[in-house]
Amino acid sequence: MKASGFPYVLPMLLLSVAFFATPLAVLVGFSFIGPDGPSLHNYARFLGDAFNYRVLVNTATLGLQTIASTTLLGIPIALFYWHSGKTARQVIIFLTLIPMLTSNVVRTFAWIVILGRQGPISETFVALGLAERPFTLMSTELGLVLAMCQIDLPLIILPLIAILSRTPVQFTEAAQVSGAGPWRILVTVLLPMMLPGLLAGWILVFASTSASFVTQAVIGGARNVYVPQLIYREVGTLFDWPMASAIAVVLLLSTGILLVAMTMISRHRRLVGHA
Amino acid sequence: MHSPRENPFPVFLYRAFVFGFGGLSLIYLVAPIVIAITMSFTAGQTLKYPPEGFSLRWYEALLDPVRSGTEHIAAGNSLKIAALAVLGSLLFAVPATIGMARMRRSTVNALEPFLLAPLVLPSLVYGLAALIVANFVGFQPSLWLTVIGHVVVFGPLMYRAASVVAQGINPSLAEASTVMGATWYTTLRRVILPLLAPGILAGAFLVFIQSLDNVSVSLFLADAQTTVLPLRMFALIEESLDVRVAAMSGILIGLTLVVMLVARRVLAPSRQA
């Protein structure tokens, strides 16, 4: 029986068309509804407003800050994995998976405890005499980046580990034998090898930061506003659906542009080396 | 010229970077989980950390049906939605996996991005789009609408987990079964599904966890009566920083750990052979 597989795929395809592609098309259509017929009114209003424009820039900045910090911490963890034996490797995977599979709201809650006035950071600073009185990092950009980085870190570690686990340890031996130091091996052999994983991770991290509504709302507070909250405000309190749609399309486009750029970079063979 | 190996300083610096900084990064990664668990056993009234004494009072408060009625309803709704989302993704994604395994590579490459697209799209945007269309067609937010939303957004997780396994299945196994005279149903039940089981289990686990945790889709598609657990926790955090949230976190982390250990048992490659 070499039956065609198409009938099996059909239900999921129909589901995707009816409940995924169609709503998105409608969303895009909605975003062009102006007060007098189809227009770019919503986009003009959104991008013309100085506050909204700042929110958009803040969101992009937050995404880039999260990408930078997860990369800075993710690479040494991946290298720790690379230089470890079988058991230690399994422990590292386990330690990465626990936070990743723990609810986002739970992780956000943990950060409220950590960043608060009575939390461990503030208490330690006071105990060491580095701060005169207890302080809170809630509603600050620093606090938010600290939280977002921890929440998104597994997204960058796992693609890196996936690459390293497929690579035999002998891979760096040639470089070692020819006398290259560890930093040189890192820059010329390991990092180019990990680049596709970094790209995959960056896409995931950026997509995640542009959707982490709860963390941004709770830890960012009222003073730090990001695009997801703006969308929710238009829907939930202002009931301006066309405007919400336009903001959503802008969010989608900015994520999409990054996605395409990353894919193009990863296909550029000279940058990725031999991958 | 001397080789860098003769100079121990860069080597020391590298080790400090990998094992020192890398180790600290691992602690930073896991510490919030440990803090959330230990916080839940506090005897105090506030989120002061380190906790003031040890007690189970917040777990008691959380399990008390009178004091935490709303939370129980929310947990019930979330579990129901997650179970239905798993069922839905079984019905849609598993057949798709089986079908794709029978198609030409070029066709699969053309169709797959379309099926996986919901994974890349910010789900908040999808929630809004689904709300607009549902309202257009005349549906109000409800539990069922939320379930459909979750199947659309998380079904691809099931597809991806199962198709990783499906790619490794030798097609001649199914052929052998057919040649021996088995009907397609018998082949499906006795050959294909048992081979796919580890992928389906992994997929079910992922869909369940993600659905239980989802805020951005439920925010738009659930009605006022269908409070879900993460949104209830969000509300508790925003309103009063109720310490019961710590107990809820403790239970959710415990649940994740248990399921992870079970999944490891079931999915460990050494045990499949």
Side-chain angles (χ1 to χ4, degrees):
Chain A
M1 187 183 75
K2 190 68 190 167
S4 155
F6 195 69
Y8 291 87
V9 184
L10 197 61
M12 195 171 175
L13 268 183
L14 288 180
L15 185 81
S16 284
V17 172
F19 292 101
F20 184 73
T22 310
L24 282 186
V26 172
L27 178 93
V28 174
F30 242 73
S31 71
F32 292 109
I33 296 181
D36 351 271
S39 72
L40 288 171
H41 172 83
N42 296 313
Y43 292 95
R45 218 181 83 207
F46 176 67
L47 295 171
D49 185 303
F51 174 76
N52 290 340
Y53 189 73
R54 219 181 61 220
V55 169
L56 197 62
V57 172
N58 280 351
T59 308
T61 314
L62 180 69
L64 294 177
Q65 281 170 328
T66 313
I67 283 182
S69 50
T70 48
T71 307
L72 186 70
L73 302 189
I75 286 178
I77 292 180
L79 291 174
F80 199 144
Y81 174 89
W82 171 252
H83 292 290
S84 295
K86 208 173 159 223
T87 320
R89 282 187 167 197
Q90 280 185 349
V91 171
I92 293 174
I93 291 183
F94 193 70
L95 292 181
T96 311
L97 284 178
I98 297 172
M100 176 151 159
L101 295 174
T102 301
S103 156
N104 252 312
V105 184
V106 170
R107 285 185 276 174
T108 303
F109 169 74
W111 278 99
I112 296 175
V113 175
I114 298 171
L115 300 172
R117 208 173 292 281
Q118 298 181 301
I121 296 183
S122 163
E123 306 251 299
T124 311
F125 270 70
V126 172
L128 293 176
L130 293 168
E132 277 177 36
R133 59 185 100 81
F135 60 93
T136 174
L137 285 171
M138 291 287 288
S139 301
T140 64
E141 210 182 2
L142 174 68
L144 183 58
V145 172
L146 276 174
M148 296 285 288
C149 172
Q150 187 265 338
I151 289 174
D152 288 337
L153 195 49
L155 298 177
I156 216 154
I157 298 176
L158 289 177
L160 292 181
I161 283 184
I163 291 180
L164 293 178
S165 68
R166 290 196 301 262
T167 313
V169 193
Q170 291 79 10
F171 199 76
T172 49
E173 257 173 22
Q176 227 165 5
V177 169
S178 15
W183 290 106
R184 188 133 175 221
I185 295 177
L186 174 65
V187 173
T188 57
V189 184
L190 287 175
L191 278 183
M193 193 174 74
M194 293 197 288
L195 192 59
L198 279 177
L199 288 167
W202 290 338
I203 291 172
L204 292 174
V205 170
F206 196 81
S208 160
T209 54
S210 63
S212 32
F213 176 78
V214 174
T215 317
Q216 287 166 7
V218 173
I219 296 184
R223 243 185 294 160
N224 300 290
V225 182
Y226 300 93
V227 175
Q229 286 144 280
L230 225 49
I231 296 177
Y232 185 64
R233 196 187 63 182
E234 293 292 339
V235 178
T237 30
L238 303 173
F239 296 103
D240 190 346
W241 290 10
M243 187 62 182
S245 305
I247 306 175
V249 171
V250 171
L251 183 69
L252 267 189
L253 279 181
S254 48
T255 316
I257 289 170
L258 187 88
L259 208 79
V260 171
M262 296 262 182
T263 318
M264 276 165 71
I265 294 172
S266 69
R267 287 204 179 138
H268 200 284
R269 297 191 69 199
R270 278 175 65 190
L271 269 171
V272 190
H274 46 264
Chain B
M1 245 178 78
H2 68 121
S3 108
R5 265 200 172 179
E6 289 161 24
N7 188 349
F9 188 63
V11 177
F12 168 77
L13 217 60
Y14 181 78
R15 286 182 168 270
F17 177 65
V18 172
F19 298 107
F21 191 56
L24 285 176
S25 304
L26 273 174
I27 292 173
Y28 162 77
L29 181 62
V30 188
I33 306 293
V34 178
I35 285 172
I37 295 176
T38 42
M39 186 77 250
S40 70
F41 293 110
T42 184
Q45 290 278 6
T46 61
L47 295 178
K48 185 174 164 57
Y49 198 92
E52 302 167 287
F54 173 89
S55 85
L56 291 173
R57 61 182 286 202
W58 298 107
Y59 284 95
E60 276 162 26
L62 186 63
L63 293 176
D64 186 350
V66 181
R67 287 165 71 193
S68 303
T70 323
E71 286 68 34
H72 289 194
I73 294 172
N77 282 335
S78 275
L79 289 173
K80 207 191 290 176
I81 292 171
L84 289 169
V86 169
L87 192 70
S89 29
L90 278 174
L91 290 177
F92 286 97
V94 175
T97 311
I98 297 172
M100 285 288 202
R102 296 180 175 191
M103 292 167 115
R104 248 177 287 136
R105 195 64 232 169
S106 54
T107 324
V108 174
N109 284 343
L111 287 178
E112 214 164 44
F114 190 65
L115 293 185
L116 293 176
L119 292 181
V120 199
L121 188 88
S123 51
L124 190 83
V125 174
Y126 175 71
L128 173 64
L131 174 69
I132 290 175
V133 169
N135 200 274
F136 208 63
V137 192
F139 284 111
Q140 292 303 312
S142 69
L143 187 137
W144 288 102
L145 209 57
T146 315
V147 169
I148 295 176
H150 284 201
V151 172
V152 171
V153 175
F154 303 126
L157 289 172
M158 171 73 83
Y159 171 81
R160 208 174 48 180
S163 67
V164 169
V165 177
Q167 275 165 12
I169 296 177
N170 189 339
S172 41
L173 286 174
E175 267 167 44
S177 160
T178 319
V179 170
M180 304 284 230
T183 61
W184 72 268
Y185 176 70
T186 314
T187 307
L188 185 72
R189 195 168 57 91
R190 301 288 296 274
V191 181
I192 297 177
L193 285 182
L195 285 169
L196 273 182
I200 295 176
L201 265 171
F205 171 54
L206 287 173
V207 172
F208 192 83
I209 291 251
Q210 291 287 333
S211 166
L212 209 58
D213 181 32
N214 181 268
V215 169
S216 41
V217 176
S218 310
L219 197 62
F220 292 111
L221 298 185
D223 53 323
Q225 283 102 53
T226 320
T227 343
V228 291
L229 193 62
L231 280 177
R232 181 66 201 145
M233 289 173 75
F234 181 36
L236 281 177
I237 289 173
E238 290 256 274
E239 283 162 18
S240 54
L241 272 183
D242 195 318
V243 188
R244 279 181 302 164
V245 178
M248 289 178 176
S249 302
I251 291 177
L252 283 174
I253 293 171
L255 204 72
T256 312
L257 280 175
V258 168
V259 179
M260 252 181 93
L261 291 173
V262 171
R264 244 179 82 87
R265 275 274 143 121
V266 178
L267 301 176
S270 57
R271 278 160 218 265
Q272 269 174 50

